[in-house]
């Protein structure tokens, strides 16, 4: 459990650094999303993707905090209705898998931009 918490905290710190580096882009995307600036289809899609990624991260964080507070894994109520295998019936585990899949797709789609980027 200790290593799990350490890796989770390191991940959240890295995510905060990522958001800090992208603060101007995130501000611009949010302005376009709420309609303050004119919308461009590509940037709107990017803003929606970033918001989904942030919500998935918050979901994993919230599920981890709930599990830690209750000292047991919280079951996902719709797991049996969705036909998920028994190993994926835990909220935190399922949320983490969805986050990893989405983050992998996020990075793969932006790999060319990542090669050209630099830390500001």
């Amino acid at each position: 459990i200790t290593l799990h918490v350490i890796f989770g905290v390191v991940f959240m710190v890295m995510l905060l650094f990522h958001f800090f580096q992208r603060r101007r882009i995130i501000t611009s995307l949010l302005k376009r999303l709420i309609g303050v600036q004119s919308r461009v289809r590509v940037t709107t899609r990017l803003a929606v993707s970033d918001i989904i990624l942030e919500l998935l991260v918050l979901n994993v964080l919230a599920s981890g905090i709930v599990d830690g507070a209750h000292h047991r894994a919280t079951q996902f109520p719709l797991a049996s209705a969705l036909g998920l295998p028994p190993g994926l019936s835990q909220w935190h585990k399922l949320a983490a898998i969805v986050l990893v899949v989405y983050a992998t797709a996020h990075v793969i789609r932006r790999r060319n931009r990542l090669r050209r980027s630099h830390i500001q």
Side-chain angles (χ1 to χ4, degrees):
I1 298 280
T2 304
L3 283 176
H4 184 90
V5 171
I6 290 170
F7 282 121
V9 169
V10 169
F11 177 78
M12 293 304 289
V13 168
M14 289 173 46
L15 186 71
L16 290 174
F17 279 127
H18 177 68
F19 289 155
F20 180 74
Q21 290 173 351
R22 293 177 42 101
R23 64 190 175 275
R24 283 176 275 156
I25 293 170
I26 290 171
T27 303
S28 173
L29 292 174
L30 287 174
K31 285 179 183 177
R32 288 181 183 150
L33 192 63
I34 61 173
V36 175
Q37 291 180 350
S38 63
R39 292 183 184 193
V40 178
R41 183 179 206 136
V42 174
T43 56
T44 301
R45 190 178 71 224
L46 182 61
V48 170
S49 177
D50 283 350
I51 288 170
I52 290 171
L53 192 57
E54 291 169 16
L55 291 173
L56 290 173
V57 167
L58 289 174
N59 185 30
V60 172
L61 179 64
S63 63
I65 290 171
V66 168
D67 285 358
H70 291 124
H71 301 290
R72 62 177 171 79
T74 306
Q75 298 300 311
F76 183 65
L78 301 175
S80 59
L82 294 174
L84 296 175
L88 291 179
S89 64
Q90 298 171 358
W91 176 26
H92 186 65
K93 188 184 293 185
L94 183 60
I97 289 171
V98 170
L99 172 63
V100 167
V101 169
Y102 195 87
T104 301
H106 182 80
V107 169
I108 288 172
R109 289 186 57 115
R110 289 156 180 79
R111 68 183 173 274
N112 289 333
R113 272 192 230 137
L114 289 172
R115 287 189 194 128
R116 290 180 277 140
S117 70
H118 60 280
I119 297 175
Q120 298 177 354

